[in-house]
Amino acid sequence: MKLGIFVNQYKCTSEALDRMKADRLGIILVQNGIYYATVKENGKAAALLDKDAEFYALSEDIQSRGFTESDVDGKVKVIDYNGLVDLIFNDYEKFAWI
Amino acid sequence: MGKLTIGVFSSLVGSMTLDFAVKLAEAAKNKGHDVDMWLSGNATMLSKKTQKKFRDYSYLEGPVKDLIGKGMQVTACEACAEARGYHKEDTLEGCHRHSMDWYLASCFSADRVMHIGGE
């Protein structure tokens, strides 16, 4: 199964995210979730980014929080709403909002 | 093209998640997909008419009316609305009210489903 998980908060992802497995796993960072892609913790990227998944972050939420694409970790692909629609229809099948 | 059903439970103005859902619906409609939006819990307030527009506040009545005009189906949970004290006559033109079976039927006929929980 191809599962897309939306993360819209920072620092309060539930245990569920750690337990989720899928043939193809995508983690889609929106709203405050984009801080996982832009903020370093003790000089290192967020631990979430170590997970075996493909990472995406919504450009509008990055910019509205004062970041630019150059602030985004290299593991994370920046997408806009159009890209998100394509992701939903073409790359993943099921979705969870955590 | 396909059909996307979005079920939203987050509150109007109180959280940006409802704004996210409306923007996603707009992007999907503009790409030619069909979109159903189900409003439950605090999200039912999105289907209440006469929302006032303030400068620094999120205002969704306008964008939702536009999307309804483009063919998006917006349906609010009747029980959730009545529980919040607003009735059929308070409902935004073009918005429907049903029990949750509408949402289930929409999910079963959709290509993709996104269920966005409340706060």
Side-chain angles (χ1 to χ4, degrees), chain B residues 47-94:
Chain B
S47 67
K48 187 172 180 318
K49 64 184 177 186
T50 65
Q51 295 166 36
K52 191 159 177 58
K53 193 170 190 176
F54 290 100
R55 192 162 50 104
D56 296 329
Y57 264 59
S58 136
Y59 171 72
L60 291 178
E61 181 172 333
V64 166
K65 275 183 181 170
D66 294 345
L67 285 167
I68 289 171
K70 289 180 186 170
M72 181 166 91
Q73 297 295 310
V74 180
T75 300
C77 173
E78 192 163 26
C80 292
E82 294 292 335
R84 286 161 175 78
Y86 86 81
H87 313 299
K88 201 174 183 63
E89 59 275 17
D90 303 312
T91 307
L92 204 56
E93 198 182 321

Side-chain angles (χ1 to χ4, degrees), chain B residues 10-41:
Chain B
S10 3
S11 55
L12 181 65
V13 178
S15 118
M16 291 302 283
T17 298
L18 201 44
D19 299 70
F20 166 83
V22 170
K23 284 178 190 165
L24 178 61
E26 189 172 13
K29 277 307 290 177
N30 291 341
K31 280 184 165 265
H33 298 292
D34 290 329
V35 181
D36 279 3
M37 184 173 279
W38 165 260
L39 304 169
S40 232

Side-chain angles (χ1 to χ4, degrees), chain A residues 4-69:
Chain A
I5 301 174
F6 283 83
V7 174
N8 80 318
Q9 295 173 48
Y10 180 55
K11 285 289 182 187
C12 40
T13 44
S14 64
E15 257 178 62
L17 183 55
D18 298 331
R19 297 202 309 263
M20 284 194 162
K21 298 276 184 290
D23 304 323
R24 178 178 181 183
L25 189 64
I27 294 180
I28 305 161
L29 306 169
V30 298
Q31 295 169 17
N32 285 342
I34 65 97
Y35 286 119
Y36 283 114
T38 53
V39 172
K40 292 279 192 277
E41 298 169 7
N42 305 318
K44 290 192 298 178
L48 175 68
L49 300 187
D50 295 333
K51 200 168 172 58
D52 181 19
E54 293 165 75
F55 293 92
Y56 310 88
L58 192 59
S59 52
E60 191 173 300
D61 290 338
I62 289 169
Q63 290 154 28
S64 59
R65 287 161 176 77
F67 294 104
T68 65
E69 291 197 23

